[in-house]
């Protein structure tokens, strides 16, 4: 519209670096944001604007800060000090600062200690601490700074922070293995979002040791609380296997309620294949449950080894051919 044209004309009258730097100090935030974005189009010359962009990153206007962060990310590793200054500024960082660091990823590894301090700081608003936890995992993929603070936060009474810690640990994958005791304990957390995130994080942490990690999770299938057993089954589902000794426990879960507990148990039995043959009667009974039919049928096929057999002849006269009228598949958990 007319207003946008006026803004563009003010800046395009002096599209050079000096003109854009002058526009960064304009009283109107729309002009400052436009200038910050336009600096990103200058190529290598934009690096001369690093001090001014660093100041714009701390601008109280969200649009200006976001535009500056976008240009700084385009500059790359040389812009990391600007983000560090913004992290340590009074009042804590803005969301654009955290999003910019997240986009830089491991290039911003130097920001890990400052991010860890923000995650620990209860004086910082919770939404920013949550975002800082996820950003920390992305800039510190080896987890040296991230894992200790995330384990600490996982034990926090604040459910949202505990859930963010499990999600961040999931981002670390196998680098989160030092956090395994805390993640195993989190399967019994009182909040479903923490239990589910912990199950996913355990699956991501397995790396090349699925069987070893599954052996640690399997005993939780015998926990007295159904919700905790469900979390353990979910973890084994994400890990991709389970010890053969857990087959009776998984088979018993097929008769539990709610259905969300039964589905991961059926999927794990299917992943065990013929090693789970003693669960066949329980899986056959589960076929009568419309909400579980798909998972039970698929698991039965794998446990019986039918998924490994070559396809037989097709047609109505084919020997041994069966026709199933499958109920609608229920929603995935």
């Amino acid at each position: 519209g007319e207003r946008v044209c006026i803004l563009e004309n003010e800046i395009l009258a002096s599209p050079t670096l000096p003109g854009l730097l002058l526009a960064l100090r304009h009283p109107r935030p729309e002009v400052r944001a436009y200038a910050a974005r336009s600096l990103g189009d200058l190529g290598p010359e934009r690096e001369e604007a690093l001090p001014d962009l660093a100041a714009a990153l701390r601008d109280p206007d969200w649009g200006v800060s976001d535009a500056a962060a976008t240009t700084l990310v385009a500059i790359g590793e040389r812009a990391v000090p600007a983000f560090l200054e913004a992290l340590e500024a009074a009042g804590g960082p803005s969301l654009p600062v955290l999003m910019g660091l997240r986009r830089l990823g491991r290039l911003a590894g130097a920001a890990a200690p400052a991010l860890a301090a923000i995650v620990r700081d209860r004086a910082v608003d919770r939404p920013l601490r949550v975002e800082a936890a996820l950003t920390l995992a992305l800039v510190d993929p080896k987890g040296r700074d991230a894992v200790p603070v995330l384990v600490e936060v996982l034990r926090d009474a604040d459910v949202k922070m505990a859930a963010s810690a499990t999600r961040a640990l999931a981002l670390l994958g196998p680098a989160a293995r030092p956090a395994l005791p805390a993640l195993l304990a989190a399967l019994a957390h009182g909040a479903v979002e923490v239990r589910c995130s912990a199950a996913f994080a355990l699956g991501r942490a397995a790396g090349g040791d699925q069987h070893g990690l599954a052996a640690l999770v399997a005993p939780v299938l015998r926990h007295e609380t159904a919700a905790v057993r469900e979390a353990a089954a979910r973890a084994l589902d994400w890990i991709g296997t389970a010890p053969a000794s857990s087959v009776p426990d998984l088979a018993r879960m097929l008769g539990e309620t709610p259905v969300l507990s039964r589905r991961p148990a059926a999927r794990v039995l299917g992943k065990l294949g013929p090693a789970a043959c003693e669960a066949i009667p329980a899986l056959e009974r589960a076929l009568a449950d419309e909400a579980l039919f798909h998972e039970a049928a698929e698991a039965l096929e794998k446990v019986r080894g039918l998924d490994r057999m070559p396809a037989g002849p097709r047609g109505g006269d084919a020997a041994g051919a069966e026709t199933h009228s499958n109920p609608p598949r229920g929603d995935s958990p």
Side-chain angles (χ1 to χ4, degrees):
E2 181 180 352
R3 186 163 176 261
V4 174
C5 290
I6 292 172
L7 293 177
E8 291 179 349
N9 288 337
E10 286 186 29
I11 295 173
L12 292 177
S14 300
T16 60
L17 178 62
L20 291 172
L21 293 180
L22 181 63
L24 271 182
R25 295 189 287 277
H26 197 281
R28 291 164 59 184
E30 299 96 328
V31 176
R32 298 198 301 276
Y34 190 93
R37 285 192 298 271
S38 297
L39 282 166
D41 298 328
L42 293 184
E45 191 181 8
R46 64 193 172 196
E47 295 193 21
E48 296 180 35
L50 272 172
D52 300 87
L53 286 168
L57 189 60
R58 302 190 296 275
D59 195 289
D61 184 87
W62 191 94
V64 178
S65 178
D66 184 59
T70 298
T71 297
L72 287 165
V73 168
I75 291 173
E77 192 170 4
R78 288 194 60 192
V80 171
F83 284 100
L84 286 173
E85 288 178 23
L87 281 180
E88 295 165 358
S94 65
L95 186 59
V97 172
L98 296 175
M99 294 299 102
L101 285 168
R102 195 174 296 186
R103 289 164 62 191
L104 284 170
R106 66 183 64 214
L107 290 177
L115 286 166
I118 291 167
V119 174
R120 284 192 174 103
D121 190 351
R122 294 174 182 271
V124 176
D125 290 342
R126 182 210 279 162
L128 286 177
R129 291 178 68 206
V130 167
E131 295 300 331
L134 298 173
T135 303
L136 174 59
L138 291 171
V139 305
D140 182 28
K142 294 186 178 179
R144 292 191 184 96
D145 290 284
V147 170
V149 69
L150 292 173
V151 168
E152 182 181 322
V153 173
L154 178 52
R155 295 172 176 145
D156 198 304
D158 186 321
V159 170
K160 295 296 183 185
M161 286 307 303
S164 73
T166 54
R167 290 195 295 271
L169 287 166
L171 289 174
L172 289 172
R177 288 189 73 85
L180 288 182
L183 287 170
L184 287 166
L187 292 177
H189 197 281
V192 63
E193 59 186 300
V194 177
R195 294 195 302 272
C196 290
S197 295
F200 179 56
L202 283 164
R204 292 269 298 149
D209 185 29
Q210 287 93 339
H211 293 286
L213 184 50
L216 296 175
V217 174
V220 187
L221 293 171
R222 296 189 288 275
H223 195 278
E224 61 184 9
T225 305
V228 178
R229 295 194 294 273
E230 175 193 338
R234 287 182 181 278
L236 292 171
D237 189 17
W238 283 114
I239 291 168
T241 189
S245 60
S246 68
V247 170
D249 299 314
L250 291 163
R252 277 194 297 274
M253 289 184 68
L254 295 178
E256 292 188 347
T257 53
V259 69
L260 292 182
S261 298
R262 306 198 293 271
R263 285 174 176 162
R267 288 195 294 268
V268 176
L269 288 167
K271 289 172 181 175
L272 288 173
C277 60
E278 67 179 287
I280 287 177
L283 286 167
E284 289 176 334
R285 289 192 295 273
L287 292 175
D289 184 341
E290 180 176 333
L292 190 59
F293 180 91
H294 179 85
E295 286 81 1
E298 190 173 88
L300 269 172
E301 186 177 80
K302 293 176 179 177
V303 171
R304 288 171 171 159
L306 299 179
D307 63 320
R308 302 176 187 177
M309 296 175 62
R314 298 186 178 274
D317 297 331
E322 295 183 4
T323 302
H324 293 290
S325 179
N326 292 8
R329 183 176 184 177
D331 293 335
S332 297

